[in-house]
Amino acid sequence: MRRRVVLRVLLVVFLFLQTANLAASEQVIVVRFSSTPPVSFGIRQLQKAFAEKGRRVRVTGSVISSRGFQILVGTAQTSLFRDQFGAVLRKLSSKPESFLIFKQRKNRLLIVGRDAVGAMYGVLDLADQLNFSQTTHFSFDSFREKNESPFLALRGVNPFLHVQALLDTNSWYFSDAFWRDYLTRLARTRHNFLDLHAAYDLSKTNMPNVFPFFFTDSLLPEIEIPVGRGGKQVVLSRQTTVRILGQFQKIVRWAAERGIRVGLMNYNTAVRVKGHPVTGKALEAYTRRSVSRLLKACPQLWLFGFRVGESGQSEDFFRKAYLEPIRKIRPDLRVYTRTWGASPEKLRQMGRNLPGRFFVEPKYNGEQLGLPYQAITSPIEGNLPTSYSYENYCSFPQPFKIIWQVRANGTHRVFQWGDPDFVRRAVRSFTLGNAAGYTVEPMTAYYPLTDFLHGSHSPHGRFFRWMPQRNWFWYELWGRLGYNPDLPDSFFVREFVRRYGGAAGPEIFRALTAASRIVPFIFAYHRLGPDHRQMAPELEVGNDRFVIGGHSYPGTLVDFYLTPTLDPQHFQNIAEHVDAILGIPEGTPWPEANVHAGGDSPNIAHELDFPTAKVTPEQAAQFWFGAASEALRALGRAKSAGILRNRSAFVCLSLDVQAVAYLGRYYAYKTLGAENLAFYHRTQDFARLQTARRQIQQARAQWDSLSAVTEKHYKPFSEWLRMKTNQFSWRKEGQKLERDLIDLDRAFVEVRKRRPFYGARPRIGFTPIRTAPIGKALHFPIFIYTRDHLRARLFYRFDGETTFRAMPLNPTEQRKVFEAVLPANLLKPGRMDYFFEIETFWNGNDRVAVRARRRLLNWVRFDTLGARVFVPQRAPDRVYTLIIQPQGHFLKIRAVRTDTLFSDQMKKVLRIRAQVESKYPIKWAKLYFKALPSYLPWQHTAMEKKGDFWEAVLPVDSRGALFYVEVCNRFDQAVFSPDWRHRAPYWVVPSWE
């Protein structure tokens, strides 16, 4: 008995010791050699990650003896690291915010930052690795070593402080929980710049002076703040302003604790007291007092600025009211301004007075997103300001640093978005002009940060409290890829797996990224205007090109096909494409009928030879169709796989994906329909009009599907910025599409009204075919409107043949449209000439009267019983020509090399050499070039073949230049280099001093 008791006691002691040893071995020791707030924040996040895996973390200030895992955290200035790990430190980049994770031994990790923020990023990286681990059974062997440095120094997010939030003590602005969540999100996603612009009225969409929100003024005690659309004026009490300023002070402090620098830009200078504006010296003195008070109240504010162009004040006003108190109170403070509407030379002078401390924010692509590169590189519409782009700020002298202002909220307002490839390319383009980085508008810059979309009927918005939580992927992409654009998609896929489950996560990622290609491309191909007040790609049908007196002009399909593209150097809008196909001179008015009726206009070139590598309407439509189909297929696979977690979030996301897919298909059908209508207007080809009506009906059906999905998902919401309504819905916007069908019906009526009489020459409409692919049957439709008997034939011959072959034209399902079809097996690559012969016959009794009428009308050619018409006229002496293209053009510009032939301080002469790989002979090569400033036009010159290269000489002055190459082979197949689909479609010759 006693022996059993002893054995039990020994067993308990043994188990206790084993448990203690196991606990010691599983304990994580974090040795913190830096106690700065950013490092402390990072360690708290790491503790949470370990706690979710069931591991305790002990934080100490020195190395201790332990069998557990040890993580040593410090900066390059830590003496222990310098003394013992010098070889490791030499691998660490010299850039601020760089970090290195190094396995010093089996159970010890070193996290070394170039500075405190770099050390924080290293710790957060380790937390990410833990969060993505699918099991609690892990070892230090599973941690990956890292050596990373930021690609861009500034990675900013650009929210606005909303008037309505500042005046509501229960709003997100006064919520400490909101700011802790928001700033933590920014830090974890590697954002280091909170670029607050203020203030913005959600209803009136104007931007009042922010100072009256922060301070009352003893000399101007009753400053009025305009609020909303009803003309309401608010005077704030001292208690209210103290609370608003106090919250701002907390924001600045909490951001600094997370390695985030805060900037504040005041958008306005206007002040009113008792209905009267404060002007002159009084306004200058008030502004100076307010600037001084703000600087003293917020010593951690990193960047402070103002708008010059729209303020109505001179640069001298800002020098006295802003820069003088800054120089006196915070001489180290950095200053910034927007370039919009400002004088570049006056801003340069301002920068010379602030050496090393002045930043400017030019617009990236107007007030939209569109393309992942600076696309407005040359003058757009003549009545639009040049400051929608970067003007000459990318050229020396540069007594400032550029921060690209990406006005993304003009393009993305509602639907969840995330395209890693797009963001990677945009990030790489932010280096243009020696820029410091970027600041991107979130999806709530001009919209509430609480849920304004989901109604009580929709349960799909209950998984988040604030909109940034819903739009988490947006922040992940812009922040992390701004730090490291080489971060692979697999990193983000792991986050989708963590949120939705292992089988569904990758498919949800694919669905969202495919759908996210659609909306930016809408603006890229169909740019109603560069301003966010001129287009909302997610919300509108795309006809309303103009705004008159604050109201959109109700546009038509003609307006739709006249709408320009964002990058006309690489995208061909509908009207431009139609005229290029038809050979119609630039500037011919639209919609001018009979410009190319049957190819007989004297302005039409004999041979329609206009090949281009630009994106055409058909290619744009295929882009939208492809992205929509890919997104819906991936979404279907995700549903089949089963959603393990966050089902409400998935339903919300899936409805957005469906809506965007329908939107993409709408624009695809609408673009094709508008293209066919444009061809009809130029050629009177009734076949084109009939096809246009069918495609516009299909576009209407897609919009109806979009409306049905969004009605199920969202309530009507306020959208004053572009749509000018308090109750926006896609269903209501879709009512405008009725006009499209009415206009087409009227065109049908006009065709019928011009019905020829018996014995008259037939009305003919034909759209010349310029190119055709081999391997497919070739269709030749032609509109022939006659009341007589008809015989029509197509005559054609291939390259090298001397005689024409004939083929009859047969009726089709389309009214008054006849067609000849060449089988695919008859076609061969090369040139093909063709024309039509159309004969009409009168079989009635009154032949004499018919002949007399024909002679009176002086028609072309007659036989005994009818008329014979050739299309084009004077055939076969004059014919149409098309190029039958082989499958795959095997055309590639392998390399473009630049050699300097001459260089001095003012000028360089460069030799541009393009090495072309082609299976077929090259027809021509062109060099496109321009001086770097965005208000200067593009030019082009022919390149000459010299050996293995095509060459041209390019003179460049100190402003810098852009250039690219286009090559075309004998089959009219053309390519650009660089290719816009993979990188910015031009090379940059940087400016120099």
Side-chain angles (χ1 to χ4, degrees), residues 445-488:
Y446 308 107
Y447 301 91
L449 276 85
T450 48
D451 187 5
F452 66 98
L453 294 171
H454 298 89
S456 57
H457 71 289
S458 173
H460 311 308
R462 297 173 186 171
F463 65 93
F464 66 94
R465 184 177 178 186
W466 298 294
M467 295 298 284
Q469 295 170 332
R470 171 186 182 259
N471 302 326
W472 63 271
F473 194 35
W474 176 280
Y475 292 91
E476 289 282 332
L477 292 178
W478 285 108
R480 293 187 186 276
L481 293 175
Y483 187 92
N484 177 16
D486 294 323
L487 191 67

Side-chain angles (χ1 to χ4, degrees), residues 763-937:
R763 291 189 55 219
I764 298 171
F766 173 66
T767 304
I769 303 169
R770 201 184 76 173
T771 60
I774 201 166
K776 295 182 179 179
L778 184 52
H779 294 253
F780 291 87
I782 183 170
F783 166 59
I784 306 172
Y785 199 180
T786 180
R787 298 174 73 177
D788 299 336
H789 292 270
L790 173 71
R791 184 179 72 173
R793 292 183 294 174
L794 168 73
F795 289 84
Y796 65 95
R797 68 184 176 192
F798 295 109
D799 203 6
E801 297 178 347
T802 57
T803 59
F804 286 91
R805 314 179 200 182
M807 173 175 283
L809 291 167
N810 299 310
T812 68
E813 293 180 355
Q814 292 183 303
R815 296 184 58 191
K816 308 298 181 181
V817 176
F818 298 80
E819 183 179 69
V821 181
L822 290 183
N825 62 344
L826 288 182
L827 304 183
K828 56 184 178 180
R831 173 176 170 143
M832 174 181 165
D833 297 329
Y834 67 97
F835 66 91
F836 299 92
E837 179 193 67
I838 300 161
E839 296 179 290
T840 57
F841 298 92
W842 174 256
N843 288 334
N845 295 322
D846 195 5
R847 295 179 180 178
V848 175
V850 171
R851 293 195 194 100
R853 187 179 300 166
R854 284 176 177 156
R855 293 190 182 91
L856 181 65
L857 293 175
N858 192 28
W859 282 0
V860 182
R861 180 177 176 182
F862 306 94
D863 56 21
T864 305
L865 298 178
R868 181 182 300 166
V869 178
F870 292 102
V871 179
Q873 290 183 12
R874 299 187 298 279
D877 297 327
R878 183 185 181 193
V879 295
Y880 293 123
T881 298
L882 70 85
I883 302 296
I884 300 173
Q885 298 174 332
Q887 290 182 345
H889 51 65
F890 304 102
L891 177 61
K892 182 179 181 181
I893 303 175
R894 293 188 58 83
V896 175
R897 301 175 184 175
T898 304
D899 303 322
T900 302
L901 302 179
F902 171 81
S903 177
D904 63 17
Q905 188 175 358
M906 301 300 297
K907 180 180 178 181
K908 293 180 181 178
V909 178
L910 306 178
R911 180 174 60 187
I912 311 301
R913 307 171 72 204
Q915 185 179 13
V916 182
E917 180 181 298
S918 178
K919 184 177 179 180
Y920 307 108
I922 299 301
K923 189 175 184 179
W924 49 254
K926 296 177 185 177
L927 175 68
Y928 294 82
F929 59 94
K930 70 179 299 293
L932 185 53
S934 64
Y935 48 72
L936 296 175

Side-chain angles (χ1 to χ4, degrees), residues 120-185:
M120 178 191 75
Y121 287 156
V123 176
L124 291 176
D125 188 279
L126 207 63
D128 288 335
Q129 295 188 46
L130 276 170
N131 289 332
F132 291 147
S133 175
Q134 298 296 304
T135 176
T136 58
H137 304 289
F138 66 92
S139 68
F140 264 25
D141 292 337
S142 63
F143 286 125
R144 296 177 55 203
E145 293 185 331
K146 296 285 187 72
N147 188 354
E148 295 195 1
S149 60
F151 181 78
L152 294 171
L154 283 182
R155 306 171 299 281
V157 62
N158 182 204
F160 284 66
L161 298 181
H162 301 152
V163 169
Q164 285 74 11
L166 294 172
L167 298 179
D168 180 3
T169 57
N170 295 316
S171 73
W172 56 268
Y173 177 77
F174 291 100
S175 170
D176 291 351
F178 167 81
W179 285 108
R180 288 194 179 97
D181 179 84
Y182 188 66
L183 295 170
T184 296
R185 183 178 309 281

Side-chain angles (χ1 to χ4, degrees), residues 173 275 401 408 581 597 639:
Y173 177 77
K401 275 290 187 182
I581 291 292
K639 292 178 179 179

Side-chain angles (χ1 to χ4, degrees), residues 372 417-428 477 481 485 487 489 492 509 513 517 981-982:
W417 184 90
D419 182 353
D421 287 337
F422 186 103
V423 176
R424 286 190 191 97
R425 292 182 55 195
V427 163
R428 291 190 172 97
L477 292 178
L481 293 175
L487 191 67
D489 283 359
F492 303 109
F509 171 82
T513 54
R517 297 199 296 268
R981 295 170 298 179
H982 305 299

Side-chain angles (χ1 to χ4, degrees), residues 507-551:
E507 298 299 341
I508 299 172
F509 171 82
R510 294 185 187 101
L512 179 56
T513 54
S516 295
R517 297 199 296 268
I518 290 172
V519 173
F521 196 79
I522 292 173
F523 182 73
Y525 192 76
H526 190 78
R527 177 182 60 78
L528 290 173
D531 202 284
H532 58 190
R533 299 179 190 273
Q534 294 172 329
M535 187 174 189
E538 296 174 320
L539 308 181
E540 60 184 293
V541 297
N543 289 10
D544 300 342
R545 297 175 59 217
F546 308 106
V547 177
I548 301 173
H551 299 284

